[in-house]
Amino acid sequence: KGQITHNQYGAQFSNLSDYRAKEDYQEITDATSRLLSIPVRNFQWKGSDLRTDGFIAHELAEIVPEAVIGEKDALLQDGNPAYQCIDQAKLIPLLVKTIQELEARITALEGA
């Protein structure tokens, strides 16, 4: 239930976020420690000289499972790997909450 829109300058991918499609709202807690526990790696892509910073899907799945698509070590019917993928946009709420938690700590320290 998302949208893909585009014009001559680019494309926009939008996920459903309307309150009418949601229930049982719960505050995110302990975002900072969760975020700090995510392993961030620098790696080389196999068969390439290209290095990049990022995540390893099965490691991220332990902390933010909703950001990972697929199962570790899964295979397709033909025996080839069914690679895991990451939806990095799923990390944004955790990042925003971490900023909010850190800002609250800074404000408390400055007021002390």
Side-chain angles (χ1 to χ4, degrees):
K1 296 231 177 198
Q3 296 179 358
I4 300 173
T5 56
H6 63 88
N7 61 27
Q8 67 269 28
Y9 303 109
Q12 178 180 356
F13 302 88
S14 303
N15 294 315
L16 175 65
S17 189
D18 193 294
Y19 75 96
R20 295 169 292 182
K22 300 175 182 183
E23 61 186 7
D24 191 24
Y25 305 162
Q26 297 179 15
E27 189 70 24
I28 294 174
T29 58
D30 206 24
T32 303
S33 66
R34 285 178 63 203
L35 191 70
L36 291 174
S37 68
I38 296 172
V40 182
R41 310 285 189 194
N42 178 275
F43 54 87
Q44 182 174 337
W45 292 101
K46 287 185 177 181
S48 167
D49 291 334
L50 180 63
R51 296 198 67 85
T52 191
D53 297 332
F55 309 103
I56 307 300
H58 74 272
E59 293 177 342
L60 181 61
E62 295 177 18
I63 298 126
V64 190
E66 63 272 21
V68 178
I69 298 133
E71 298 296 324
K72 182 178 186 266
D73 299 323
L75 298 173
L76 298 170
Q77 288 182 345
D78 64 5
N80 286 315
Y83 293 113
Q84 287 182 289
C85 297
I86 294 175
D87 180 355
Q88 294 187 15
K90 298 285 192 214
L91 299 175
I92 294 172
L94 192 59
L95 292 166
V96 170
K97 185 62 178 181
T98 296
I99 291 168
Q100 292 172 345
E101 288 176 0
L102 293 173
E103 180 62 27
R105 289 175 57 193
I106 290 167
T107 299
L109 289 169
E110 287 177 343

